[in-house]
Amino acid sequence: MKRKRKGSFHNKMIQFSYEHRTVPNAFNELRKSVEEVNNMLNKLSEKDKKKEKQKK
C-alpha cells in the first residue's frame, strides 16, 4: 500500500491555519493590555479629581 505524499500546498495550508489561529490570540492579549492601561489612567484621573476637590 502506497501512502500519498503530502505536497507543499498541504504544508502551506497547515502553516496558514496555524498563523491565523495565533493572530486572534495576539489581539486578545493586546486588548487586555489596553484595558489595563485604560483602567490605570482612569484611576489616576480620579485621584487628580479628588486632589482638586480637596484644594477647593
Side-chain angles (χ1 to χ4, degrees):
M1 181 189 318
K2 283 188 173 182
R3 288 189 174 184
K4 289 185 178 180
R5 187 173 154 219
K6 294 181 181 177
S8 64
F9 178 76
H10 183 263
N11 292 339
K12 288 178 183 177
M13 289 301 295
I14 291 173
Q15 184 66 28
F16 180 84
S17 65
Y18 174 76
E19 288 173 357
H20 286 80
R21 186 177 353 156
T22 58
V23 168
N25 292 337
F27 282 125
N28 285 337
E29 290 177 17
L30 180 63
R31 182 182 52 81
K32 288 177 185 177
S33 297
V34 169
E35 287 175 356
E36 289 176 4
V37 170
N38 187 34
N39 288 337
M40 185 176 63
L41 290 174
N42 285 338
K43 287 179 183 178
L44 289 173
S45 67
E46 288 173 5
K47 287 181 182 179
D48 287 343
K49 287 179 185 177
K50 286 180 183 178
K51 286 181 183 178
E52 287 178 13
K53 286 182 181 179
Q54 289 176 354
K55 288 181 180 179
K56 289 182 180 182

